[in-house]
Amino acid sequence: MPIQQLIFWILSAATLSCALGVVLSRNPIHSVMFLVLTFFCISGHYILMNAQFIGIVNIIVYAGAIMVLFLFVIMLMNLNSDVEPQKSRLIQLAGVLSGGSLLLVLLAAFRSTNLAPLEERASDIGLISNLGQALFTKYVVPFELSSILFLSAMIGAIVIGKKDSHPHREVTSGEQLDGMDNIVKNDAPLIDPSLSNARSVTPEHEHYEAHS
Amino acid sequence: MIAIILFGSLGVAMYATWAERKVAAVMQDRRGPNRAGPFGLLQPLADGLKLFMKEEIIPNNSTRFIFILGPSLAMLTATMTSAVVPWGPDIVLGSGSAISLQVADINIGILFIFGVLSLGVYGIMLGGWASNNKFSLLSAIRAASQAISYELPMGLALIALLMMSGSLSLHDIVGQQHGFWKDGWFTWYVFKQPLGFFIFLVCSFAELNRAPFDLPECENELNMGYHQEYSSMKLGFYLFAEYINMFVSSAVIVTLFFGGYNFPFMDVVAAKLGEGSVLMALICIGAFMTKIICFILFFMFVRWTIPRFRYDQLMNLGWKSLIPLALVNMLITGGVILWFFN
């Protein structure tokens, strides 16, 4: 068996078992970790196809940014296996049935499609210069459209985040962007200017009282 | 080669801990470590031995596996980045074969560094969460949001540099900065991208969790930060990973902006010694290491000079100043390239 094929099989087995781990583990943090591993395996597949750029971008964007945000939310909400809601048997059965029928449909579609064989020789389309050429010449309109979509999604997220803040509180940009400041401010009263004022006032006050 | 680089970066990081204490001592008019060996040079060994000998405590309510995974990940990601840094020019042997002083010349070198960097935060996050301590958790969350926020301006600052270099491979980028002066202007990218360099530098302070951005380990708010519950060598790994990161990011800054292993008049020296000779390679490595050590010292001077930022100031700086600046830098670079060099 050539080495590429061996690596392919090992990677595929790892991808599938990690993906199963995401679904099967009870602890949400473990699920996230399995998902990160799955992304790594998929990146391995990309690199095997000589698409290094897509492989590394997959790691940067999904494993490095999106999954960190997932972890972030799960840690903040303090989710663990105890609070996982228990579903009733009926819902579980319905889930199995619908999932299984989707699998059947996919399998049937897969059997009847005539997949063109992959190129045998090493393809260079995944290298960054070729990919850039393709994106900015042949597919420039879809590329620009999708970037506008992302921009509007970003602006939408900021608008929604703004509505949530209480009107009487001073809104800083940090709050809109990550909501971290609530915790930080509550836990760090030293930052509060009113308190530091109070502290600077107190000694004078005592001084006054001592004299009177 | 891999082993040399690994042990080299560990050694530099070891003595960076010593240098940090010496620098702090000098700046505060103290003597610093001076008992173990001449000038206290054996101090890092003594520290390491002490950490190994300490009792290892894993808190009862921690998630044991992830608790151990945290420092291991921090160490792993710290040592991985050095694989794509070109440490010196190729050495040409008598038989005509060349030895490359770079572990892997992949054509996406910079993106590899970014990938590893973005994974580095997992070590801190998982460790902080698994400790089952409120302070650790807060610190881990701070670290994560700080790292994600500052990755954006860092990447945007780099895009301007990549527009000029036209390549993501660190080998090519160093090659373009050959010598010091060419065609009436400096070859080093710091002179072509001063604003980009400045943004990159500020962001690397934040990514390293170094002062003035060491919010995740801010003692007066969070006790010790994410490694509160760690003891023994696991704590050592966290502290040590920070110093390795400092070394590697100095190496990356030097590679990208300060010409890597190039130095002024290197062609004259190369003509004397012969292109591709071992001696020439050693001089180049020496020049590279000198620049790296200057940057490490700079990181230390800043730590003992500038007080820590507040968290909202940190976020304001990242999102409201650095990102727009980086975008403007990108636009200017693009415009100049389009109008004058096209």
Side-chain angles (χ1 to χ4, degrees), chain A residues 27 29-30 32-33 36 40 52-53 56-57 59-60 62-69 71-72 74-76 78-80 127-128 172-174 177-178 180-181 183-185 187-188 190-191, chain B residues 63 65-66 69 73 106-108 111-116 118-119 121-122 125-126 128-130 134-135 137-138 140-142 144-145 148-149 151 168 220-221 310-312 315-316 319-320:
Chain A
N27 192 329
I29 300 266
H30 292 169
V32 170
M33 294 321 293
V36 172
F40 268 95
Q52 299 158 351
F53 178 70
I56 200 80
V57 164
I59 286 184
I60 294 177
Y62 285 94
I66 294 183
M67 293 324 289
V68 170
L69 288 180
L71 261 188
F72 205 92
I74 290 174
M75 285 177 179
L76 271 182
N78 203 14
L79 294 178
N80 49 46
L127 298 184
I128 182 164
T172 62
S173 72
L177 289 167
D178 59 13
M180 264 287 299
D181 268 18
I183 308 160
V184 176
K185 274 197 178 137
D187 274 69
L190 281 178
I191 296 173
Chain B
T63 316
F65 177 69
I66 295 183
L69 189 68
L73 269 182
I106 46 179
N107 62 9
I108 43 160
L111 288 180
F112 175 82
I113 289 176
F114 259 72
V116 176
S118 60
L119 295 176
V121 71
Y122 276 105
M125 273 196 99
L126 289 177
W129 175 79
K134 288 278 183 286
F135 288 121
L137 180 65
L138 271 178
I141 287 170
R142 274 191 180 187
S145 48
I148 293 180
S149 308
E151 249 166 47
L168 288 166
N220 44 10
E221 294 165 19
R310 226 169 48 211
Y311 202 81
D312 57 324
M315 283 296 160
N316 274 344
W319 290 94
K320 286 188 178 167

Side-chain angles (χ1 to χ4, degrees), chain B residues 26-333:
Chain B
V26 169
M27 295 189 79
Q28 297 170 346
D29 208 9
R30 293 185 284 118
R31 279 181 195 279
N34 61 355
R35 294 291 148 156
F39 306 107
L41 272 174
L42 297 178
Q43 189 66 40
L45 292 178
D47 285 344
L49 193 68
K50 187 198 86 169
L51 281 173
F52 267 117
M53 293 299 174
K54 286 255 175 173
E55 187 191 355
E56 178 141 356
I57 300 166
I58 297 182
N60 273 341
N61 284 330
S62 64
T63 316
R64 197 183 156 85
F65 177 69
I66 295 183
F67 189 78
I68 298 172
L69 189 68
S72 326
L73 269 182
M75 201 68 178
L76 178 74
T77 49
T79 46
M80 257 166 73
T81 328
S82 52
V84 292
V85 175
W87 299 95
D90 292 354
I91 300 174
V92 184
L93 295 180
S95 54
S97 57
I99 302 175
S100 173
L101 292 183
Q102 184 182 18
V103 175
D105 179 22
I106 46 179
N107 62 9
I108 43 160
I110 292 181
L111 288 180
F112 175 82
I113 289 176
F114 259 72
V116 176
L117 197 78
S118 60
L119 295 176
V121 71
Y122 276 105
I124 295 177
M125 273 196 99
L126 289 177
W129 175 79
S131 310
N132 198 17
N133 177 319
K134 288 278 183 286
F135 288 121
S136 307
L137 180 65
L138 271 178
S139 153
I141 287 170
R142 274 191 180 187
S145 48
Q146 176 176 335
I148 293 180
S149 308
Y150 276 79
E151 249 166 47
L152 298 173
M154 201 174 196
L156 288 173
L158 257 187
I159 287 178
L161 187 142
L162 296 180
M163 282 173 170
M164 301 185 81
S165 74
S167 167
L168 288 166
S169 154
L170 290 176
H171 186 262
D172 294 352
I173 291 177
V174 172
Q176 289 161 0
Q177 305 180 67
H178 185 81
F180 189 62
W181 185 273
K182 194 189 168 197
D183 301 335
W185 191 243
F186 304 97
T187 54
W188 293 3
Y189 275 118
V190 64
F191 299 109
K192 298 176 182 169
Q193 280 290 334
L195 187 60
F197 164 69
F198 175 71
I199 297 169
F200 195 87
L201 188 70
V202 173
C203 293
S204 37
F205 273 101
E207 292 282 331
L208 286 172
N209 293 333
R210 289 281 300 183
F213 303 122
D214 56 348
L215 272 301
E217 0 188 329
C218 156
E219 302 90 355
N220 44 10
E221 294 165 19
L222 293 172
N223 292 357
M224 267 179 72
Y226 55 87
H227 43 61
Q228 173 118 42
E229 298 287 347
Y230 281 90
S231 55
S232 178
M233 204 54 204
K234 289 205 202 63
L235 172 68
F237 267 18
Y238 268 129
L239 302 181
F240 209 56
E242 193 185 315
Y243 283 92
I244 300 176
N245 274 331
M246 197 161 79
F247 170 63
V248 171
S249 66
S250 302
V252 171
I253 292 176
V254 170
T255 308
L256 291 176
F257 290 99
F258 279 82
Y261 53 76
N262 296 301
F263 54 92
F265 306 113
M266 66 186 293
D267 287 330
V268 184
V269 181
K272 276 258 168 57
L273 297 173
E275 195 81 48
S277 66
V278 178
L279 196 59
M280 182 64 197
L282 283 180
I283 294 176
C284 285
I285 295 174
F288 192 38
M289 290 309 276
T290 315
K291 292 181 206 171
I292 292 176
I293 288 169
C294 288
F295 262 98
I296 293 181
L297 286 177
F298 176 68
F299 275 114
M300 288 174 183
F301 291 151
V302 169
R303 172 168 177 183
W304 298 105
T305 313
I306 301 178
R308 184 181 289 136
F309 274 51
R310 226 169 48 211
Y311 202 81
D312 57 324
Q313 291 173 331
L314 174 88
M315 283 296 160
N316 274 344
L317 179 73
W319 290 94
K320 286 188 178 167
S321 313
L322 290 181
I323 289 183
L325 260 183
L327 284 172
V328 167
N329 186 35
M330 212 169 94
L331 275 180
I332 294 174
T333 312

